[in-house]
Every structure is written in C-alpha cells, then in structure tokens.
Amino acid sequence: DAFREQLRRSEGREEFVFYDGPPFATGLPHYGHILAGTIKDVVTRYACAKGFHVPRRFGWDCHGLPVEFEIDKKLGIKDKQDVMNLGIDKYNEECRSIVMRYSKEWEKTVVRTGRWIDFQNDYKTLDPTFMESVWWVFKQLHEKGLIYRGFKVMPYSTSCTTPLSNFEAGLNYKEVDDPAVVVSFPVVGDADGASLVAWTTTPWTLPSNLALCVHPEFTYLKVKDPASGKVYIVAKARLGALPGALPKKGKKGKPGSPGFEVLGEMKGQDLAGLEYEPLFDYFGHMKAEGAFRVVQDTYVTDDAGTGIVHQAPAFGEDDNRVCLHWGVIKKGGALPLPLDENGRFVSPVEDFKGKHIKDADPDIVAALKARGRLVDASSVHHSYPFCWRSETPLIYRAVPGWFVKVESIKDRLLANNAKTYWVPAYVKEKRFQNWLENAHD
C-alpha cells in the first residue's frame, strides 16, 4: 500500500493541511466530482514531493436538503408540520439511515481514478466532533463582534419551506399566467390630488409595501384623466400603461379619445422624498421610521410597468437593497414579513390571514378595487421559476439568519489575497479579487 507507506515515512514532518469539500453519499459520483478530485490529488501529491506530511481524509456531507428531500418523498412529507407530527428524532433517524447509501460506490470509483485518500479514517459532518468544530469557529467570530442577526432575500420554496440557491432557482422555469395590476398611491399634500402609479405581477406583496422607487434620470408626467378627473404620475415612456391615457382615433364614425391631459413634467429625482398614503394600515407605524415615501435608484426600467416600482423589502432583493440604502429599513432591524414558512398570511394581515399568497391574490385585488386604489387589472404570460423538487412556484422572501460582517474586514481579505500565490495568476487578479471586492455580509 504505497499511499499508507508514504504517510508512515513522512510522519513527523511539517504538515500540509488540506480540507476536502465533502460530497453527499446519497448520489453517485459524476464527471465534476472526478475532475475536482483529480486536481486535489495533484496538489496533495506535489506537497508530499516537497517534503510535507499530508494526511488526507475523505469526507461525507450528511446535512442539507438533498438528504431531507429523499426522506420527504419516501414518507410523503409535504410541509414542516408533517415533520413535527412524525417527531424530529424519528425524522433525523430516517435521514441518518440513507446518508451513506452510496459510500462503497464512491470508494470504488475514487480508488479507480488513482487518487490517494483515506477512506478508512474518513469523517462525516454528522460527527459530534465535526459539528462542535463548526460551533467553535462561530463562537470565535461572535467573540470578535463579527456576527449579527439579519435577513437575506433569497429564492424560497413555500412547499419545501426552505431557501434555494440561485442555481437551483434557475433549474425549473415554466410559462404561466399571473395577475398584473396597476395601483394608485395618493401623494400627501399634492395640489392636484395626484397619485403615483405602480405596476406589479405579485399583488400578494402589496400589503407589505413600504416605499416607491423611481429612476432619477427618467422623465415623469403628471396627467389628468378627463373622464374621471383623477390625476396620476407615471413615467413618460410608460404613459400607455394607463388605460385611455394615449389619444386614439375614432373608427367607423365613432368619436376618438383625446387621451389624458398633461399637467406637468419632471425628473425622477424631483419626485424623491414625496410621501404617499399606504395601501393598507398593517404596517402604518413604520411611517415614523421613514416608510411610505419615494426613493430613487437606477435599477428601475422603462420597458415595462409604469416606471415606478413598488418596494416590499421582505420580498425583493433590489427592494431590500434600495430600502436599506435610503433608511426605510435598518440592517438587522424588523421587516414587514407577514408570512409563515408555508407562504400563508399571518398577523397583522388579518384580512387575508391563513391564505396562501397565490390564493390570496384575487382577494387582495378585490380589496384594492373596493378602496378605489385599483387603476387597472389584467394578466401577464411570462416565464416564472418553480421549485425543481415540489413543482410549486418559488417566491423571493427575506430569510432570517446569522450573518458574518464580511464588509467590515474586506480590506484585510484583499490584503491577504495580495500576499497569496495563485495558479493560474488571473484567478488572484480577476475572479477572486473581483469576488472579494464585491463581497457582502
């Protein structure tokens, strides 16, 4: 056994520490695993040839959704309550029973590739010693003041009750029809009684609205509907999003429509800071903290909608970023997140409490109409992400968690990267450097 003989002969020398990112043993190895393993084998063999002692232990990832999903299918589990009814201890044992399902097939394949690594002295992420080492690292970060409680907006499956990676969110797009509504937000103190108008395909996010966002450089119009007398503010390029706003010629002897009267024109930056009346009162107390006003950001587009984007910081990555920037919400502070883990409304949204967000859409639209805030209601056919496991629509929602303050130590990370020898060099100068420069908590 040349591998073990090499380890024996090099004992006592300076160690070359190598941590292998462990795979799941619930699936079989594929080309990507074999390629990465071969590169790792080259690195560790080179370290041995340079005179280091290089212990190499194969590892197994025993945590996470792939294992849980297999058990959910086996037991017919649909949501978290099913797990609680079964019992967490029994559920864990079911998961534990399959985590090493294909371990022998992995060992056979890896050995066949010629990789030198120890399967007899392997480690598993379910080992108490491994889990305690992770908690130890977390404790060190906490003692240095680098940990805080916060939220991150992520793709989320209301069926699996778990966030997904962006990669997973892109696996299963479907063509669907969703509601599309244009809603009015009366401007506080406007001389003409004007309302800002925003378009959304997710009416269920409207009870959590905290702000409206405009593009600082876009031109906006204040227009009056001659039929109703109502006054609206909309992007000039998106005037056609308002029914009847554009003039129309008459047909077959019938009179045409003059369209809306233009009362004024302004830049988006001129609208910033305006206050408006919220759609619902569920989070009205947040007005004192800076909510229900117009903010500005260049992510707003004029190729769809009204050029004014409704902001629900718990349900949109850009919404969250923009509201943080303008102080509508605070990092680590409270968010209007009135959903349970299964995507059903909870307090304080009493009017729709207990309903799944998609089932609540028609009721929310009806409520907006009853309040006189619905300008237009239609539907849109578009491509939408679905959970690749449960085949249910994904949403974006703020997921609570503990965050490491990466941004506060970014300069040190960049300085250490400059001292590191990379092969190939462009990884250091471009890919990894760029990643560190844009690193977030």
Side-chain angles (χ1 to χ4, degrees), residues 161-177:
T161 65
T162 186
L164 278 69
S165 69
N166 286 323
F167 173 77
E168 289 177 299
L171 291 176
N172 188 23
Y173 270 79
K174 297 179 184 291
E175 294 293 320
V176 297
D177 292 308

Side-chain angles (χ1 to χ4, degrees), residues 4-21:
R4 296 192 184 283
E5 179 63 18
Q6 182 195 61
L7 290 176
R8 187 188 68 78
R9 293 191 182 190
S10 62
E11 266 193 74
R13 296 178 184 172
E14 183 181 352
E15 283 200 352
F16 180 87
V17 180
F18 184 83
Y19 294 104
D20 192 7

